[in-house]
Amino acid sequence: MQRTTIKQVMSKRQWLGALGAIALFTGGCMSMMKGVPSDLDYSTARATENGAFRLSYKTDPALIPISKLHQWTIHLETPEGKPIDGATITVDGDMPQHGHGLPTRPEVTQNLGNGDYRVEGMKFQMGGWWIVNFGITADGKRDQATFNLMLK
Amino acid sequence: MNKPLRRLLLLTVAAATPLLAACPAWQPDAWTPEEKEALKSLWIGNLASPPPNPSNRYAQNSEASALGHKLFFDRRLSRNGNVSCATCHQPEKNFTDGLPLAQGIGTTSRKTMTVVGTAYSQWQFWDGRKDSLWSQALGPLENPLEHGTNRMQVVRLAATAYGSEYEALFGPLPDLSDTSRFPEAAGPVEDPTAKANWAQMRAEDRDAVTRAFANLGKAIEAYERKLVPGASRFDQYVQALQRDDREAMRGALSEDEVQGLRLFVGKAQCITCHSGPLFTNNEFHNTGVPARSELSADTGRAQGALQVLADEFNAKSPFSDTQQSADQAHLRFLKTGDHQNLRAFKPPSLRNVARSAPYMHAGQFDTLQQVIAHYEQAPKAPQGHSELTPLHLSSKERDQLERFLRALDGPLSTPAELLAAPQG
Ligand SMILES: [Cu+2]
């Protein structure tokens, strides 16, 4: 069977049409992610905003399920890495693109010791870009940390 | 074509090629690994058995299911002897009724939701005002616009029509022969006689009747848990895709349907709420659905969240078969009083959606075409804040999306004898 090359069968008009189509298709694909800043930091450990503490988290299960209650364990320490117990911690989550938050009000339910805290009532109802904010009061200081998550 | 221009064009095409490989919409059956994951997440092969419901210890009991099957189709469970669960949940209409607003004794202010696949949901009804199928089943029985009966009459019917089956499962029924203690009609309902009768009963007698009433709901749940969707052409397509069987893929979905699927998981963003093998996240969203002018304002989940916490049959109630805090976490951490709940409703499963018209919580749209046009335009919400943004779909794309939705049709994965009134 004889094969004709693209060059042989395409006119100038078709070329331009094809380019337009490429722009459309790639544009369509990009729009899935529209509004999500490209430079988001998705790390799970960070200094709090004013540098008062360091905070990290682990989720159970490790791959965050959608529309399912699950638990997190957070770890709080000084900037030098010394665990902090007895802190008061609030939790909240938001989807910045959609103008809504979590369907739940999660709580820190237990200080597990060694700077670890259990967070119950976490539930994300949809995939996409989420932010989870922790407000921390400890050692006479207040600070907060916000984590970015991209859920599938 | 002159040479420099041709060179420029070739360069542009070459530069765009990696992008095309990452997003190969030009080839109907080519999917990126990410898209393949999304398709697989919707595949019915990933639908396990319904999760256990610790608040109902009879949920998996086959005798309870057989009793529930009879109760589901029994019209005597109504004020006028003419309304059963199956009046609104008709098997041949995907367990809905084809009406914009459910019609029992009277007309309600919401459309009938299907029962198929609802055993997977933590929340029942459009507003999630119930947290189990058994507690859901009890609501319509005492609603004056639906079955319009009361719990005493329901338990009386169970005693006469299903006494031995009931007692074999749940133990002795209260002796209802003394009508001074157990009036003919009684319950916390609108009907003034039944309401007054209920109020003057002894607390322990009310409790015994309510317990039996709850048990009947648990039997109905055991039946309803068996109503689960089966494979559609979409599922055949995903299965074929996993084997990379192009021929089987083309046999399962047409090119337009595949393009519709691509829009569903991509540009149209349907998958953000219609996720998982049931095509719903079973949570609550305000999508700016218009209000019906003849109905009073419907605040949806805002009210439903408060109602489920106060519900006499929720997982924390004395009629629940669990008092474990882990089994009640959905109530403990539930967010109430939040703006985002205002006029938010549960996205229904899209399986068999073509057989579930009309659409939305009060049947606002007659056709899938109208539904898609609504999402395309993303109008302002009558109350609260719509999560939608305009989609900019062409009329061809809207048509492809609709074709894909119609490919979600499939027979239930339920034995045929359970899809009709029980014999004998
Ligand atoms: Cu969202």
Short mmCIF file of all heavy atoms in Angstrom, two decimals, chain B residues 21-47:
data_model
loop_
_atom_site.label_atom_id
_atom_site.label_comp_id
_atom_site.label_asym_id
_atom_site.label_seq_id
_atom_site.Cartn_x
_atom_site.Cartn_y
_atom_site.Cartn_z
N ALA B 21 0.76 15.23 22.23
CA ALA B 21 0.92 13.91 22.84
C ALA B 21 0.37 13.92 24.25
O ALA B 21 -0.18 12.94 24.73
CB ALA B 21 2.39 13.52 22.84
N ALA B 22 0.51 15.08 24.91
CA ALA B 22 0.02 15.18 26.29
C ALA B 22 -1.48 15.35 26.32
O ALA B 22 -2.12 15.08 27.30
CB ALA B 22 0.70 16.35 27.00
N CYS B 23 -2.06 15.80 25.24
CA CYS B 23 -3.49 16.08 25.22
C CYS B 23 -4.05 15.69 23.87
O CYS B 23 -4.35 16.53 23.05
CB CYS B 23 -3.71 17.57 25.47
SG CYS B 23 -5.45 18.00 25.61
N PRO B 24 -4.14 14.41 23.59
CA PRO B 24 -4.37 13.99 22.21
C PRO B 24 -5.85 13.96 21.84
O PRO B 24 -6.39 12.95 21.47
CB PRO B 24 -3.78 12.59 22.20
CG PRO B 24 -3.86 12.11 23.62
CD PRO B 24 -4.08 13.29 24.51
N ALA B 25 -6.51 15.12 21.92
CA ALA B 25 -7.92 15.16 21.61
C ALA B 25 -8.18 14.89 20.13
O ALA B 25 -9.28 14.55 19.75
CB ALA B 25 -8.50 16.52 21.98
N TRP B 26 -7.16 15.01 19.32
CA TRP B 26 -7.33 14.81 17.89
C TRP B 26 -7.48 13.35 17.52
O TRP B 26 -7.92 13.00 16.46
CB TRP B 26 -6.14 15.41 17.16
CG TRP B 26 -4.83 14.81 17.59
CD1 TRP B 26 -4.24 14.94 18.79
CD2 TRP B 26 -4.00 13.95 16.83
NE1 TRP B 26 -3.09 14.24 18.84
CE2 TRP B 26 -2.91 13.62 17.64
CE3 TRP B 26 -4.05 13.45 15.53
CZ2 TRP B 26 -1.88 12.78 17.21
CZ3 TRP B 26 -3.01 12.63 15.10
CH2 TRP B 26 -1.95 12.30 15.93
N GLN B 27 -7.10 12.48 18.46
CA GLN B 27 -7.21 11.05 18.20
C GLN B 27 -8.26 10.52 19.16
O GLN B 27 -8.04 10.55 20.37
CB GLN B 27 -5.88 10.39 18.51
CG GLN B 27 -5.26 9.74 17.31
CD GLN B 27 -4.07 8.91 17.73
OE1 GLN B 27 -3.53 9.07 18.80
NE2 GLN B 27 -3.67 8.01 16.86
N PRO B 28 -9.40 10.07 18.66
CA PRO B 28 -10.52 9.82 19.56
C PRO B 28 -10.19 8.86 20.71
O PRO B 28 -10.66 9.06 21.81
CB PRO B 28 -11.59 9.23 18.64
CG PRO B 28 -10.94 8.99 17.32
CD PRO B 28 -9.74 9.85 17.25
N ASP B 29 -9.38 7.85 20.47
CA ASP B 29 -9.18 6.85 21.52
C ASP B 29 -7.87 6.99 22.28
O ASP B 29 -7.49 6.11 23.02
CB ASP B 29 -9.27 5.45 20.91
CG ASP B 29 -10.70 5.14 20.50
OD1 ASP B 29 -11.61 5.54 21.23
OD2 ASP B 29 -10.89 4.51 19.44
N ALA B 30 -7.14 8.10 22.04
CA ALA B 30 -5.87 8.27 22.73
C ALA B 30 -6.08 9.06 24.02
O ALA B 30 -6.68 10.13 24.00
CB ALA B 30 -4.90 9.00 21.82
N TRP B 31 -5.61 8.52 25.10
CA TRP B 31 -5.80 9.17 26.40
C TRP B 31 -4.45 9.27 27.10
O TRP B 31 -3.63 8.37 27.00
CB TRP B 31 -6.75 8.33 27.29
CG TRP B 31 -8.13 8.17 26.72
CD1 TRP B 31 -8.57 7.12 25.96
CD2 TRP B 31 -9.25 9.04 26.89
NE1 TRP B 31 -9.89 7.30 25.64
CE2 TRP B 31 -10.34 8.47 26.20
CE3 TRP B 31 -9.43 10.26 27.55
CZ2 TRP B 31 -11.59 9.07 26.14
CZ3 TRP B 31 -10.69 10.86 27.51
CH2 TRP B 31 -11.75 10.26 26.81
N THR B 32 -4.25 10.36 27.82
CA THR B 32 -3.04 10.49 28.63
C THR B 32 -3.17 9.55 29.84
O THR B 32 -4.28 9.16 30.20
CB THR B 32 -2.87 11.92 29.16
OG1 THR B 32 -3.95 12.19 30.07
CG2 THR B 32 -2.89 12.95 28.03
N PRO B 33 -2.04 9.20 30.46
CA PRO B 33 -2.10 8.34 31.67
C PRO B 33 -3.02 8.95 32.72
O PRO B 33 -3.76 8.24 33.39
CB PRO B 33 -0.65 8.32 32.15
CG PRO B 33 0.17 8.61 30.94
CD PRO B 33 -0.66 9.51 30.07
N GLU B 34 -2.99 10.29 32.83
CA GLU B 34 -3.84 10.96 33.83
C GLU B 34 -5.32 10.79 33.51
O GLU B 34 -6.13 10.52 34.39
CB GLU B 34 -3.47 12.44 33.85
CG GLU B 34 -3.52 13.02 35.23
CD GLU B 34 -3.04 14.46 35.23
OE1 GLU B 34 -3.17 15.13 34.19
OE2 GLU B 34 -2.57 14.89 36.29
N GLU B 35 -5.64 10.95 32.22
CA GLU B 35 -7.03 10.77 31.81
C GLU B 35 -7.46 9.32 31.99
O GLU B 35 -8.59 9.03 32.40
CB GLU B 35 -7.21 11.18 30.34
CG GLU B 35 -7.16 12.68 30.11
CD GLU B 35 -7.15 13.04 28.64
OE1 GLU B 35 -6.52 12.29 27.84
OE2 GLU B 35 -7.75 14.05 28.27
N LYS B 36 -6.56 8.40 31.71
CA LYS B 36 -6.89 6.98 31.89
C LYS B 36 -7.24 6.70 33.34
O LYS B 36 -8.17 5.94 33.64
CB LYS B 36 -5.69 6.11 31.48
CG LYS B 36 -5.71 5.73 30.03
CD LYS B 36 -4.64 4.69 29.74
CE LYS B 36 -4.44 4.57 28.25
NZ LYS B 36 -3.29 3.76 27.89
N GLU B 37 -6.48 7.31 34.25
CA GLU B 37 -6.78 7.15 35.68
C GLU B 37 -8.18 7.69 35.99
O GLU B 37 -8.95 7.08 36.73
CB GLU B 37 -5.75 7.91 36.53
CG GLU B 37 -4.51 7.12 36.84
CD GLU B 37 -4.83 5.73 37.41
OE1 GLU B 37 -5.48 5.66 38.47
OE2 GLU B 37 -4.42 4.73 36.78
N ALA B 38 -8.50 8.85 35.41
CA ALA B 38 -9.82 9.45 35.65
C ALA B 38 -10.92 8.53 35.14
O ALA B 38 -11.93 8.30 35.81
CB ALA B 38 -9.90 10.81 34.96
N LEU B 39 -10.71 7.96 33.95
CA LEU B 39 -11.72 7.05 33.38
C LEU B 39 -11.88 5.81 34.26
O LEU B 39 -12.99 5.35 34.51
CB LEU B 39 -11.29 6.63 31.96
CG LEU B 39 -11.88 7.43 30.81
CD1 LEU B 39 -11.80 8.91 31.01
CD2 LEU B 39 -11.27 7.02 29.49
N LYS B 40 -10.75 5.31 34.72
CA LYS B 40 -10.80 4.10 35.54
C LYS B 40 -11.52 4.38 36.87
O LYS B 40 -12.20 3.51 37.41
CB LYS B 40 -9.38 3.61 35.80
CG LYS B 40 -9.32 2.11 36.02
CD LYS B 40 -7.90 1.62 36.15
CE LYS B 40 -7.90 0.29 36.87
NZ LYS B 40 -6.56 -0.15 37.22
N SER B 41 -11.36 5.61 37.38
CA SER B 41 -12.02 5.94 38.65
C SER B 41 -13.54 5.93 38.51
O SER B 41 -14.26 5.82 39.50
CB SER B 41 -11.54 7.31 39.16
OG SER B 41 -12.11 8.35 38.38
N LEU B 42 -14.03 6.05 37.28
CA LEU B 42 -15.48 6.05 37.04
C LEU B 42 -16.00 4.65 36.67
O LEU B 42 -17.21 4.44 36.58
CB LEU B 42 -15.82 7.00 35.88
CG LEU B 42 -15.51 8.48 36.08
CD1 LEU B 42 -15.56 9.22 34.74
CD2 LEU B 42 -16.48 9.11 37.06
N TRP B 43 -15.09 3.74 36.49
CA TRP B 43 -15.43 2.40 35.98
C TRP B 43 -16.18 1.59 37.03
O TRP B 43 -15.82 1.59 38.21
CB TRP B 43 -14.13 1.70 35.59
CG TRP B 43 -14.26 0.34 35.01
CD1 TRP B 43 -15.14 -0.07 34.06
CD2 TRP B 43 -13.46 -0.80 35.35
NE1 TRP B 43 -14.92 -1.39 33.77
CE2 TRP B 43 -13.90 -1.87 34.54
CE3 TRP B 43 -12.40 -1.02 36.25
CZ2 TRP B 43 -13.34 -3.14 34.62
CZ3 TRP B 43 -11.84 -2.28 36.30
CH2 TRP B 43 -12.30 -3.32 35.50
N ILE B 44 -17.18 0.88 36.57
CA ILE B 44 -18.01 0.10 37.51
C ILE B 44 -17.24 -1.06 38.13
O ILE B 44 -17.59 -1.55 39.20
CB ILE B 44 -19.31 -0.38 36.82
CG1 ILE B 44 -20.36 -0.69 37.88
CG2 ILE B 44 -19.05 -1.58 35.92
CD1 ILE B 44 -21.76 -0.45 37.47
N GLY B 45 -16.15 -1.46 37.44
CA GLY B 45 -15.29 -2.51 38.01
C GLY B 45 -14.69 -2.10 39.35
O GLY B 45 -14.23 -2.94 40.12
N ASN B 46 -14.69 -0.79 39.63
CA ASN B 46 -14.18 -0.32 40.91
C ASN B 46 -15.27 -0.13 41.96
O ASN B 46 -15.02 0.42 43.03
CB ASN B 46 -13.45 1.02 40.73
CG ASN B 46 -12.07 0.81 40.15
OD1 ASN B 46 -11.42 -0.19 40.45
ND2 ASN B 46 -11.63 1.72 39.31
N LEU B 47 -16.48 -0.59 41.63
CA LEU B 47 -17.57 -0.46 42.59
C LEU B 47 -17.62 -1.72 43.45
O LEU B 47 -18.04 -2.78 42.99
CB LEU B 47 -18.90 -0.27 41.86
CG LEU B 47 -20.11 0.11 42.72
CD1 LEU B 47 -19.94 1.49 43.33
CD2 LEU B 47 -21.39 0.05 41.90
#
